Amino acid sequence: MFRKNTLSTAMVAAGLLSASLLAGPQLANAQAVPTITSAGTGTLALVPYYTVRDGWDTLLNITNTSSSSLAVKVRLHESYNSRDILDFVVLLSPFDVWTASLTNVGGVPYVRTTDRSCTVPVSVRDTGAAASAIAYTGQFDDAGPDSTDRMLEGYVTVAVMGEAPGAPVAGSTPWLAEHVRGEPRDCAAASNNFVRGAGIPAWASGNITGTAGSGDPTARAVNHYGAIANPAPLKVNVSLVKRSQGIAGGATAVHLNGWGVGQNLVTAQQFPWFLEPTIASSNGLWSTSGLAAVEAAFNAAAVVNEWSNNPRLGVQTDWVVAFPTKKHHADRNAYIQAACNPWRSAAGGGAFAGGADCGAAVPVAPFETAFNPLAGGTSNITVTYNLYNREEIPIVITTDGTTISPAPPPQIRIDTLPYETNVLVIGNSSYGPLTSALNSAVTQIVDIKDQFAGSQPEFGWVRLAFTRNPLPAAGMIFKARNFGDPTLNFGQIMDHGYIRPVAP
């Protein structure tokens, strides 16, 4: 069923232990409308899932395939409501690579790197950085669970903020970050160039200041980082690794080609300017006018992939389904740390000076419900499971309690997809208890025991349809084979297939 794959082989497959592919700049045919392509490069990359739960680590590899210098924003989003739990900037020289691991330190995700590329702040490179729950607790409380546990899994966005084509100008931020015999010239000075401009006071209240609400850091000035020109400079890979069991799997992130082209999205790496850019910032800072185009790229009527679970044989498969723009519809608290904050216009106008269309005015559609703290911090999505075994025999399960076809009753009730990042375990409990391969705390169990007429299948495939509306979604499956021996165990990651909505 599987071919053996060692831990190191899986990591190499993800590009985390190997030299990166060198690719030239792709300045021609820059796209104003972001698209997802099979090329595996872009200006924004989505890692649909990270985890540091129960001994799992997540490894990231970010490659600059271009001859330009790039300022790149890395954001970690927690699983329930997609609130930011950690963000920083990585400065990539031409053809540079940055690698890091996410692990559990003191019950929270912690970023560690041995890579010498500059980060902002530079402390991320030198000592690492811990995630914080401040975005959903205290004055920014979203009324959902306030435990740090919700940070242990989620998803990651990696976005180009600004670009400096050609050889860096002496003394500029890209020049300071450029490697000379394997070491950047001066990462501390480069990091200091992301402090707000001399004429910008520390924020206390009121409007966001600086050009386009950027805070006017030196890094955004002429000869530093300017507008994004290359539509596809980034290549991002990810691996999920559990060293104690010898299980790992690697995959390529989902890349948006052309996102943010023509925009300078560099901001001061200080509060509140560091709240930008987000996945919705393709048309500029503090504007969500680009959100519709991003969602059109991710939109799916259904997600398809295989399932295989047999606890007796140590076979487990987790489905991951993430909704990276759901926060712009479901999180309506209008707090500073929310997707809809006082400066970010949900109507798309870029009203960074006191946007007024947060709260109840935020359109929930195409999602079904707003984030509901009274329901444990959920925002439910109704889905239909069209399951098949490997002999083409189907059953159909809808999450609000419909009957099974063609098998006879009893009815079956399956939970909706309630979170920003969801993990599904689809299988047959006839062979033993169904559990998550990734030990996820946001797992939904889909038990098909006795639902296939005349058989008890242990594998097949699923067409997971979004019952009410096509939705912007991304994900993959993680397959693990555990023989009880770390020298034999292995894992695999496989991208979902998508059924895109038909254009009218």
Side-chain angles (χ1 to χ4, degrees), residues 309-440:
N309 277 286
N310 190 326
R312 294 185 304 185
L313 300 177
V315 178
Q316 292 176 289
T317 302
D318 281 5
W319 270 56
V320 173
V321 183
F323 302 100
T325 67
K326 186 178 179 184
K327 60 186 178 182
H328 289 283
H329 300 274
D331 190 354
R332 305 168 76 184
N333 282 322
Y335 293 156
I336 287 173
Q337 292 280 355
C340 182
N341 62 50
W343 310 292
R344 188 179 292 133
S345 171
F352 56 88
D357 47 5
C358 288
V362 174
V364 173
F367 295 92
E368 297 175 34
T369 61
F371 182 80
N372 185 356
L374 299 179
T378 59
S379 171
N380 291 332
I381 295 170
T382 308
V383 295
T384 298
Y385 296 87
N386 295 269
L387 293 103
Y388 298 81
N389 66 10
R390 292 183 181 174
E391 283 71 47
E392 305 173 24
I393 299 175
I395 64 171
V396 177
I397 303 171
T398 300
T399 56
D400 48 6
T402 57
T403 58
I404 308 305
S405 171
Q411 292 185 340
I412 187 169
R413 174 84 184 201
I414 302 295
D415 287 336
T416 63
L417 302 188
Y419 305 115
E420 190 99 1
T421 303
N422 301 269
V423 176
L424 306 173
V425 176
I426 303 167
N428 191 329
S429 63
S430 298
Y431 301 102
L434 297 174
T435 58
S436 166
L438 295 164
N439 310 99
S440 172

Side-chain angles (χ1 to χ4, degrees), residues 82-130:
S82 193
R83 291 285 177 96
D84 297 353
I85 60 169
L86 180 64
D87 79 80
F88 52 91
V89 179
V90 178
L91 305 181
L92 297 176
S93 298
F95 310 117
D96 192 12
V97 179
W98 183 78
T99 62
S101 64
L102 309 179
T103 189
N104 188 319
V105 176
V108 301
Y110 198 92
V111 173
R112 283 196 175 102
T113 181
T114 59
D115 196 286
R116 300 307 295 165
S117 297
C118 293
T119 61
V120 184
V122 70
S123 59
V124 176
R125 184 192 75 162
D126 294 342
T127 60

Side-chain angles (χ1 to χ4, degrees), residues 16-72:
L16 294 164
L17 299 180
S18 61
S20 301
L21 178 66
L22 301 184
Q26 305 172 26
L27 298 177
N29 301 318
Q31 300 180 27
V33 178
T35 58
I36 295 175
T37 71
S38 60
T41 57
T43 43
L44 182 141
L46 172 75
V47 176
Y49 186 73
Y50 77 82
T51 181
V52 296
R53 188 181 297 281
D54 197 35
W56 285 94
D57 293 334
T58 300
L59 311 182
L60 296 175
N61 177 297
I62 302 174
T63 300
N64 177 7
T65 70
S66 77
S67 60
S68 295
S69 298
L70 304 176
V72 177

Side-chain angles (χ1 to χ4, degrees), residues 10-16 18 21 36-42 44-50 58-63 65 156 158 232-240 249-256 298 305 320 474-478 492-496 498:
M11 294 164 70
V12 170
L16 294 164
S18 61
L21 178 66
I36 295 175
T37 71
S38 60
T41 57
L44 182 141
L46 172 75
V47 176
Y49 186 73
Y50 77 82
T58 300
L59 311 182
L60 296 175
N61 177 297
I62 302 174
T63 300
T65 70
V156 182
V158 181
L234 287 183
K235 174 76 169 77
V236 179
N237 294 324
V238 60
S239 278
L240 305 179
T252 298
V254 181
H255 292 79
L256 273 182
F298 278 100
N305 220 324
V320 173
M476 81 274 186
I477 61 171
F478 185 92
Q492 299 170 293
I493 294 179
M494 301 176 186
D495 294 335
H496 288 321
Y498 301 92

